[in-house]
Amino acid sequence: MAGEVNIKRLAQELNISIATVSKALNDSYEISLKTKNRVLSLAKELNYTPNPAASNLRSNKTKTIAVIVPDVANNFFSLAIKGIEEIARKYGHHVLIYQTHEDAEMEKSFTNSLLNGRVDGILTSVSSNEYNSDYYRDLVKKVPLVFFDRVYESLDAFKITTDDYQISFKATEHFIECGCQNIAFLYGLGKLPAGTARFTGYKDALIAHGINFREELVLDYSEDEEVNFANIKTLFKKHKPDALFSSIEEFIIPAYMACAELKFSIPGDVKILSFSNMSSAKLLNPSLTTITQPAFEIGNEAAKCLFKILNKKGMDDDKDIVLKSVLIKRASTGC
Amino acid sequence: MAGEVNIKRLAQELNISIATVSKALNDSYEISLKTKNRVLSLAKELNYTPNPAASNLRSNKTKTIAVIVPDVANNFFSLAIKGIEEIARKYGHHVLIYQTHEDAEMEKSFTNSLLNGRVDGILTSVSSNEYNSDYYRDLVKKVPLVFFDRVYESLDAFKITTDDYQISFKATEHFIECGCQNIAFLYGLGKLPAGTARFTGYKDALIAHGINFREELVLDYSEDEEVNFANIKTLFKKHKPDALFSSIEEFIIPAYMACAELKFSIPGDVKILSFSNMSSAKLLNPSLTTITQPAFEIGNEAAKCLFKILNKKGMDDDKDIVLKSVLIKRASTGC
DNA sequence: TTTAATTACGTAAACGTTTTCGGATAAAAT
DNA sequence: ATTTTATCCGAAAACGTTTACGTAATTAAA
């Protein structure tokens, strides 16, 4: 009984046409204030809410945006999502969240499932396992899309990133100021601009301070945590680095465990810092120096950007927004 | 041009009716294998995907489910969501995620926005700030809904929970076996069954071992982390507990910080354990003994349950599923 | 006073599906 | 030869909105 409250029902009870009701609900200029009030108050009384499917079908608007991230369990992404939601809520949009788990195929499959008008726009942070530039070159023409953090550089699309190069340069200098000379680099996201920028910032800082870059001090990320653990131990034994620059959060656990197992003291024997948004960084033993990205703000900016596109405003704005990360010095670098 | 590929277009190109096309796409028994193949292959060739709005409008099915949680940044919930997604993907459903940030009003507002047919069903873990039993009593009649972890006990609805009472009892016994006598309880989720069950398990274990329950050793959770920090310090100074049983993850950071500031050694001066799904628990200083809930499995079970409802199967199954948590002993309890 | 403009509302088509019902054909049963 | 049944397909309505267009009533301009 009470379930079937739709526009037709409102129209009948008020003795007006459904067109008038619809327009009144959408605050159209064509409708007098008096009838608007009549409609609105009855709608409220009957607890009317518009059917989204019908509305979407007719208007081609879904009031939903999609967020595609590798993993919501990652601190960075969960914060970014929070930033996105804040804006989405402001614009009355729902948020559809997809996790790719770094699987490029799943990423494409998810994205494709959104192209038939399921969402108004997409915010994406691409998977790190494959560089799928061609796919995205097509995609950005088909749907409003904003990249954040993990972007494709060459594309003509809106991109929100951070100052990976500069902050990595600065972090490396921090090591050097603490007296480190053999700074190892734990290399993640190698296929993405963010990864290479972090690496280049590290390398350039070494060179700028007259320290030779040594290929053998670079360790590539493996998805298998055990492998990373083993690799770090090997790195320690073979090359005795006095510092570890971890370019992604995932290296922290195996690095700390390796130090514990090899009885290396942090920061005495080796100093460590890492890109990270872990809230417990300050509780590690010892507390971890981090490069912390403004994750919430990135999500915030990305979402704002998308709604600019959806509302056709500021299309001539700069398509590249770069936010600043911050280096938080703690005990693991010890100075 | 290529954008407007819908059923009508397929029908025209194949010289058959749109009804036939629709039925073929839905693998109806009314359609011959031959025409099914013709339709399917053309659909694939033209990259046809059905318009979800139209489909939803007509069929009253959205192929989406909603997940309502307090916070995706919480390790427990992000894992649970992963478990949900696995099942949703299996059934070809999309997942809409909402964060309430423990705000009961926002929770109601979100939930209400889903009642007009935006989703086929809801998985929810209710906010801890208010006990909104009346609201949910109405709600479960209107929409397929499954509670997980944070439930309303009195309702006739599907609920996935864990053995909070038993595991808390066991954890308290672990303290006692380690020689603790003044075990403080950091009390969270007090308005929810999960919270009270944990508290009761703690209390009953004390009594079972002839230890007096002391009200002054119980500390209620505050949303303000600074307040928790201060309260824990006061607790330490006033009552010198030799153990801290944290019933929620959020107490860990202030507890560790308080110990550090007061120069209390863990587990020497005070032993600590906490409900937690933090992956870095083993890296804390010292590594933290945890009660870890099977978060992924909870999500998994909850989603399975919802799809049972949606497919009208197993409606006579037990509506209460209880999974087992596990006590992982580490250095912070020291024995 | 006539005409033009403005305001307020209604009619009906459209969005892309799904589904009910019925019909045509052919095979099987009588 | 007639009836029944099975198989395959189409016509058309329906889902609940939005919106282009038309029109009557009122007001402003001529």
Side-chain angles (χ1 to χ4, degrees):
Chain A
M1 301 295 116
E4 321 129 350
V5 41
N6 50 24
I7 277 195
K8 197 197 285 180
R9 165 94 178 274
L10 295 181
Q12 279 171 349
E13 302 221 0
L14 292 172
N15 260 320
I16 56 180
S17 77
I18 63 168
T20 304
V21 175
S22 173
K23 289 174 191 168
L25 291 170
N26 291 313
D27 200 27
S28 161
Y29 67 96
E30 292 182 29
I31 306 299
S32 73
L33 191 63
K34 189 178 152 199
T35 45
K36 272 184 192 172
N37 287 334
R38 290 214 311 147
V39 172
L40 259 358
S41 76
L42 182 63
K44 186 161 210 170
E45 184 188 328
L46 296 186
N47 225 326
Y48 166 79
T49 50
N51 180 304
S55 168
N56 171 15
L57 177 59
R58 179 55 223 241
S59 67
N60 266 318
K61 301 209 187 319
T62 61
K63 292 241 154 206
T64 331
I65 61 174
V67 180
I68 302 177
V69 292
D71 199 336
V72 298
N74 177 294
N75 298 291
F76 173 79
F77 291 118
S78 65
L79 273 170
I81 288 170
K82 226 179 258 189
I84 291 167
E85 280 183 333
E86 187 185 73
I87 304 299
R89 182 151 44 253
K90 194 175 292 177
Y91 285 89
H93 274 59
H94 296 246
V95 179
L96 210 43
I97 299 178
Y98 290 93
Q99 305 189 64
T100 66
H101 303 291
E102 308 282 9
D103 181 335
E105 279 312 307
M106 204 174 278
E107 184 175 311
K108 284 207 287 186
S109 139
F110 277 150
T111 312
N112 285 334
S113 78
L114 301 173
L115 292 183
N116 46 18
R118 184 173 283 273
V119 298
D120 293 341
I122 300 177
L123 296 167
T124 188
S125 203
V126 304
S127 146
S128 67
N129 283 345
E130 219 174 295
Y131 201 69
N132 229 326
S133 189
D134 292 344
Y135 176 74
Y136 278 99
R137 195 185 315 282
D138 286 348
L139 188 69
V140 294
K141 293 174 199 158
K142 296 185 194 161
V143 61
L145 188 146
V146 174
F147 292 94
F148 67 99
D149 192 50
R150 302 190 182 187
V151 307
Y152 283 151
E153 265 180 332
S154 55
L155 297 181
D156 178 38
F158 284 86
K159 300 184 274 278
I160 320 292
T161 53
T162 51
D163 56 343
D164 288 305
Y165 176 87
Q166 289 83 356
I167 199 73
S168 295
F169 194 102
K170 187 173 159 188
T172 309
E173 282 188 320
H174 175 54
F175 274 140
I176 296 171
E177 283 159 13
C178 293
C180 300
Q181 290 286 322
N182 303 309
I183 306 168
F185 188 82
L186 306 181
Y187 200 169
L189 306 178
K191 291 178 181 160
L192 297 176
T196 55
R198 291 170 193 188
F199 179 57
T200 314
Y202 152 78
K203 224 163 48 169
D204 287 358
L206 291 184
I207 295 168
H209 288 77
I211 300 177
N212 278 338
F213 164 69
R214 292 163 55 200
E215 188 73 55
E216 65 270 22
L217 288 180
V218 177
L219 179 60
D220 283 325
Y221 177 68
S222 155
E223 286 170 60
D224 185 343
E225 185 155 321
E226 291 299 319
V227 173
N228 291 323
F229 181 50
N231 286 344
I232 293 174
K233 283 192 287 185
T234 308
L235 176 70
F236 273 140
K237 288 183 206 157
K238 273 196 181 171
H239 304 293
K240 306 269 181 224
D242 52 13
L244 244 46
F245 184 146
S246 159
S247 67
I248 55 172
E249 196 166 279
E250 286 75 7
F251 274 118
I252 298 175
I253 294 185
Y256 268 65
M257 287 176 71
C259 287
E261 186 167 317
L262 298 176
K263 311 270 185 212
F264 283 0
S265 94
I266 312 172
D269 299 325
V270 58
K271 302 187 198 314
I272 299 184
L273 75 74
S274 179
F275 270 82
S276 173
N277 282 81
M278 277 201 333
S279 60
S280 56
K282 64 166 87 76
L283 292 181
L284 293 185
N285 176 26
S287 67
L288 176 66
T289 294
T290 59
I291 295 170
T292 298
Q293 295 175 276
F296 183 88
E297 288 76 13
I298 292 174
N300 230 288
E301 285 301 322
K304 281 184 199 167
C305 218
L306 181 58
F307 283 106
K308 261 195 223 162
I309 301 176
L310 295 179
N311 298 325
K312 320 263 185 238
K313 302 210 171 179
M315 295 302 285
D316 48 348
D317 290 10
D318 190 4
K319 290 194 167 182
D320 272 295
I321 298 180
V322 181
L323 302 179
K324 279 193 191 309
S325 296
V326 42
L327 176 65
I328 303 173
K329 298 174 183 172
R330 297 203 184 86
S332 69
T333 47
C335 77
Chain B
M1 299 294 119
E4 321 128 350
V5 42
N6 50 24
I7 277 195
K8 196 197 288 178
R9 165 95 177 274
L10 295 181
Q12 281 172 346
E13 302 221 1
L14 293 171
N15 260 319
I16 55 180
S17 77
I18 63 167
T20 304
V21 174
S22 173
K23 289 174 191 169
L25 291 170
N26 291 315
D27 201 27
S28 160
Y29 68 95
E30 294 182 26
I31 306 299
S32 72
L33 191 62
K34 189 177 151 198
T35 45
K36 271 184 192 171
N37 286 335
R38 291 214 308 146
V39 171
L40 259 358
S41 76
L42 182 63
K44 186 160 212 173
E45 183 188 328
L46 297 186
N47 225 325
Y48 167 79
T49 51
N51 181 304
S55 168
N56 171 15
L57 176 58
R58 179 55 224 242
S59 68
N60 266 318
K61 300 207 184 324
T62 61
K63 292 240 151 204
T64 49
I65 62 175
V67 180
I68 301 178
V69 293
D71 199 336
V72 298
N74 178 294
N75 300 290
F76 173 80
F77 291 117
S78 65
L79 273 170
I81 289 170
K82 229 179 254 191
I84 292 167
E85 281 184 333
E86 187 185 71
I87 304 299
R89 182 153 44 251
K90 194 176 290 176
Y91 285 88
H93 275 59
H94 297 247
V95 179
L96 211 42
I97 299 179
Y98 289 93
Q99 305 189 63
T100 66
H101 303 290
E102 308 283 9
D103 180 335
E105 279 312 309
M106 205 175 278
E107 183 175 313
K108 285 208 286 186
S109 138
F110 277 149
T111 312
N112 285 334
S113 79
L114 300 174
L115 293 183
N116 46 18
R118 183 173 283 273
V119 298
D120 294 340
I122 299 178
L123 296 167
T124 187
S125 203
V126 305
S127 147
S128 68
N129 282 345
E130 218 173 294
Y131 202 69
N132 230 325
S133 190
D134 292 343
Y135 176 73
Y136 279 99
R137 194 183 317 281
D138 285 349
L139 188 69
V140 295
K141 294 175 198 156
K142 296 186 195 164
V143 62
L145 188 145
V146 174
F147 292 94
F148 66 99
D149 191 51
R150 301 192 183 184
V151 307
Y152 283 150
E153 266 179 333
S154 55
L155 297 182
D156 177 39
F158 285 87
K159 300 183 274 278
I160 320 293
T161 53
T162 52
D163 57 343
D164 288 304
Y165 176 87
Q166 289 83 354
I167 198 73
S168 296
F169 194 101
K170 187 173 161 188
T172 308
E173 282 190 320
H174 174 54
F175 274 141
I176 296 171
E177 284 159 12
C178 293
C180 300
Q181 290 285 325
N182 303 309
I183 306 169
F185 188 83
L186 307 181
Y187 199 169
L189 306 178
K191 292 179 182 161
L192 296 177
T196 54
R198 292 170 192 187
F199 179 58
T200 314
Y202 151 79
K203 225 165 45 173
D204 287 357
L206 290 185
I207 295 167
H209 287 79
I211 300 177
N212 276 338
F213 164 68
R214 293 162 55 200
E215 188 74 59
E216 64 270 23
L217 288 180
V218 176
L219 179 60
D220 283 325
Y221 177 67
S222 155
E223 289 171 59
D224 185 341
E225 185 155 324
E226 291 299 318
V227 173
N228 291 323
F229 181 50
N231 285 345
I232 293 174
K233 283 191 290 185
T234 308
L235 176 70
F236 273 139
K237 288 185 208 156
K238 275 196 179 168
H239 304 293
K240 306 267 181 225
D242 52 12
L244 242 48
F245 184 148
S246 159
S247 67
I248 55 171
E249 197 167 278
E250 285 75 8
F251 274 118
I252 298 175
I253 294 185
Y256 267 66
M257 286 175 69
C259 288
E261 186 168 315
L262 298 176
K263 310 270 186 214
F264 283 178
S265 95
I266 313 171
D269 299 326
V270 59
K271 305 190 198 309
I272 300 183
L273 74 73
S274 178
F275 270 82
S276 172
N277 282 81
M278 278 205 327
S279 60
S280 56
K282 62 167 89 74
L283 292 181
L284 293 185
N285 177 25
S287 67
L288 175 67
T289 293
T290 58
I291 296 170
T292 298
Q293 296 174 275
F296 184 89
E297 288 75 14
I298 292 174
N300 231 286
E301 286 302 322
K304 280 183 198 166
C305 215
L306 181 59
F307 283 106
K308 261 195 224 159
I309 301 176
L310 294 180
N311 299 324
K312 319 261 186 246
K313 303 211 170 177
M315 294 303 285
D316 48 347
D317 291 9
D318 189 6
K319 290 194 168 182
D320 270 297
I321 298 180
V322 181
L323 303 179
K324 279 192 190 311
S325 297
V326 43
L327 175 65
I328 302 173
K329 298 174 184 173
R330 297 204 184 86
S332 69
T333 47
C335 79

